[in-house]
Amino acid sequence: MALITKPITSTTQAVQDARNLAMPTVALGAIIAILYFGRVFFITSIVAMTIAFILEPFVELLMRIRLPRSLASFLVCAIALLLLYVIGIGAVTQLSAIYNDLPTYGQRIGDIVDGVRLKVQGMENRTYQLMLPARQRQEEQDRLRAQREAEQARKKSKKQDAAPAPAAPGPTGAIQEVRIHEESPLADYIYARLNSFYQLFLMVSFIPFLVYFMLSWRDHINRSFLQFFHGEDRLVATRSLQGIADMVRAFVVGNFLLGLLLALISSVFFWWMRLPYPMLVGPLSGFMSLLPYVGLPLAMVPPLFAALGVNTVPTYVLVVVSVSVLHLIALNLLYPKIVGSRVHLNPLVVTFSLMLWGFLWDAPGLLLAIPLTAGLKAVCDNVKGLRPIGKFLGD
């Protein structure tokens, strides 16, 4: 008995093509929405996993002297928190000194702004004198003087109208409270953002516990995860996990070592320049210099602010030149050898990943964009069907 096949019409084929295209599009949209609205959860989890990858070699080192994994994980986490506490104490000490000097820095900033304003006003006056004849200049000056006098009179009348009227008899506490609440936009902003601050603080407080449990339960988590795969797929999953771990560890440790080197060189150079607070300004400038694309201008902000205490033109020029030279040397010579050799991402993919993750997760997305994309490439390189994507992402 011969089988009769129904011919596929063009309409049916178009419906099938649209259905095949719609499902991945809907799935991609759902993934983007989940990543966007669950940003706090995902950022906290990824930061905890990254820290766990970094601390894992130290846990294994303690396990070689026959310490249990749980105890080794606890000791490593405790030492890491102690180091953060010591660094925080030093930073707070420097910041308190800067806070005491804020009036001086504010005065210097005001002088610089006034100087720039006077220079711009002088340029405007010279241009005005060149462009207008003498009679028109006199008429224009008279008109401007009349406008200023009218403006001063209007401001004076507003101040008189805004004088506080005598309070009516009765409970004035509620009136004063409402007035204070209406005249404090900062308090309104804090009240509106209090829920977001609470969520952020809550998620950050989970990071030490997540890191400890990821380290102490690492073997159990790996075995449980690999049980979802069978045969060759289990080997692929093992290689993918190992590739992600090696890449994240190399990326983070490489950036940390490079930032530490830049911080040390910057601190020594700023100390030689007799710049105020070199032990705070140097590390901030060194680590900010590693941020993608915006690293150079951000790295200049702390030393330029500290240079206000000296307030000389050669100091400002020397700061800009030194930070620029260190940034160019670090990114063009040191970064490819220390970090780039383990990431293997082409510049176009890096730029698009920064745009995408920066849109989804703001500033944390810019910091996590490269390791996330490199982790995706590590998975694609080990999965046979995804290797073309891995080659596309690679350099």
Side-chain angles (χ1 to χ4, degrees), residues 262 265-266 269-270 272-273 275 285 289 296-297 299-301 303-304 307 312-330:
L262 292 176
I265 296 175
S266 300
F269 188 76
F270 294 153
W272 176 77
M273 291 175 55
L275 210 64
S285 178
S289 183
L296 180 58
M300 291 183 182
V301 173
L304 287 177
T312 58
V313 175
T315 302
Y316 294 125
V317 174
L318 194 57
V319 165
V320 172
V321 172
S322 61
V323 173
S324 301
V325 170
L326 284 176
H327 178 79
L328 293 176
I329 292 175

Side-chain angles (χ1 to χ4, degrees), residues 48-49 51-53 55-60 62-63 67-78 207-224:
M49 286 188 289
I51 297 174
F53 282 137
L55 298 180
E56 175 60 27
F58 300 100
V59 175
E60 294 180 352
L62 292 179
M63 290 177 63
L67 284 180
R69 173 171 281 274
S70 58
L71 180 58
S73 301
F74 177 78
L75 291 176
V76 170
C77 292
I207 291 180
F209 301 98
L210 286 174
V211 172
Y212 170 72
F213 290 125
M214 288 178 182
L215 290 173
S216 59
W217 288 76
R218 175 181 175 274
D219 297 335
H220 174 75
I221 293 173
N222 285 343
R223 288 194 302 266
S224 301

Side-chain angles (χ1 to χ4, degrees), residues 62-387:
L62 292 179
M63 290 177 63
R64 291 180 182 178
I65 59 176
R66 300 187 181 280
L67 284 180
R69 173 171 281 274
S70 58
L71 180 58
S73 301
F74 177 78
L75 291 176
V76 170
C77 292
I79 294 172
L81 289 175
L82 182 61
L83 289 176
L84 288 178
Y85 176 76
V86 172
I87 295 173
I89 290 296
V92 168
T93 303
Q94 295 285 310
L95 289 174
S96 61
I98 293 177
Y99 178 77
N100 294 329
D101 294 339
L102 276 182
T104 304
Y105 285 102
Q107 182 64 33
R108 297 286 172 81
I109 294 175
D111 294 340
I112 293 174
V113 172
D114 292 338
V116 173
R117 183 177 58 81
L118 290 176
K119 290 181 179 179
V120 173
Q121 187 176 0
M123 293 175 60
E124 291 179 351
N125 292 334
R126 288 193 295 270
T127 305
Y128 173 74
Q129 292 175 2
L130 292 174
M131 297 298 294
L132 294 177
R135 184 173 181 180
Q136 292 183 0
R137 289 200 302 268
Q138 185 63 35
E139 293 178 354
E140 187 68 18
Q141 291 176 359
D142 294 339
R143 185 180 64 82
L144 293 175
R145 188 181 300 109
Q147 288 181 357
R148 285 196 296 267
E149 292 176 355
E151 183 68 23
Q152 292 176 357
R154 185 163 57 253
K155 289 181 179 179
K156 187 176 180 181
S157 63
K158 286 183 178 180
K159 289 182 179 179
Q160 293 177 355
D161 295 339
T172 59
I175 298 176
Q176 185 178 4
E177 182 179 358
V178 173
R179 185 175 300 165
I180 292 175
H181 181 68
E182 291 177 353
E183 295 177 356
S184 57
L186 180 60
D188 293 339
Y189 178 82
I190 293 176
Y191 292 149
R193 299 296 187 273
L194 191 59
N195 188 28
S196 300
F197 292 154
Y198 170 74
Q199 291 180 358
L200 180 62
F201 176 77
L202 182 64
M203 288 298 174
V204 170
S205 64
F206 277 105
I207 291 180
F209 301 98
L210 286 174
V211 172
Y212 170 72
F213 290 125
M214 288 178 182
L215 290 173
S216 59
W217 288 76
R218 175 181 175 274
D219 297 335
H220 174 75
I221 293 173
N222 285 343
R223 288 194 302 266
S224 301
F225 177 75
L226 293 177
Q227 288 180 359
F228 291 100
F229 305 94
H230 302 281
E232 187 179 355
D233 293 339
R234 179 173 296 184
L235 181 60
V236 171
T238 304
R239 291 177 178 175
S240 299
L241 287 177
Q242 188 63 36
I244 293 174
D246 294 340
M247 184 279 308
V248 171
R249 191 177 296 117
F251 177 81
V252 177
V253 173
N255 275 277
F256 177 77
L257 293 178
L258 185 56
L260 194 63
L261 179 62
L262 292 176
L264 180 62
I265 296 175
S266 300
S267 299
V268 172
F269 188 76
F270 294 153
W271 174 80
W272 176 77
M273 291 175 55
R274 299 187 182 278
L275 210 64
Y277 315 108
M279 300 307 295
L280 177 64
V281 174
L284 287 177
S285 178
F287 282 98
M288 284 183 177
S289 183
L290 298 178
L291 295 177
Y293 295 98
V294 296
L296 180 58
L298 289 180
M300 291 183 182
V301 173
L304 287 177
F305 180 79
L308 291 172
V310 182
N311 198 23
T312 58
V313 175
T315 302
Y316 294 125
V317 174
L318 194 57
V319 165
V320 172
V321 172
S322 61
V323 173
S324 301
V325 170
L326 284 176
H327 178 79
L328 293 176
I329 292 175
L331 290 189
N332 292 289
L333 296 179
L334 301 179
Y335 192 90
K337 296 182 178 298
I338 298 176
V339 181
S341 59
R342 301 299 297 270
V343 176
H344 295 294
L345 293 175
N346 65 71
L348 182 62
V349 171
V350 170
T351 304
F352 275 111
S353 65
L354 290 171
M355 293 171 57
L356 175 62
W357 293 108
F359 167 74
L360 291 176
W361 293 349
D362 299 328
L366 293 176
L367 297 176
L368 299 174
I370 295 178
L372 285 174
T373 309
L376 178 62
K377 181 183 180 300
V379 175
C380 295
D381 288 340
N382 289 282
V383 179
K384 186 176 181 180
L386 300 179
R387 285 176 184 173

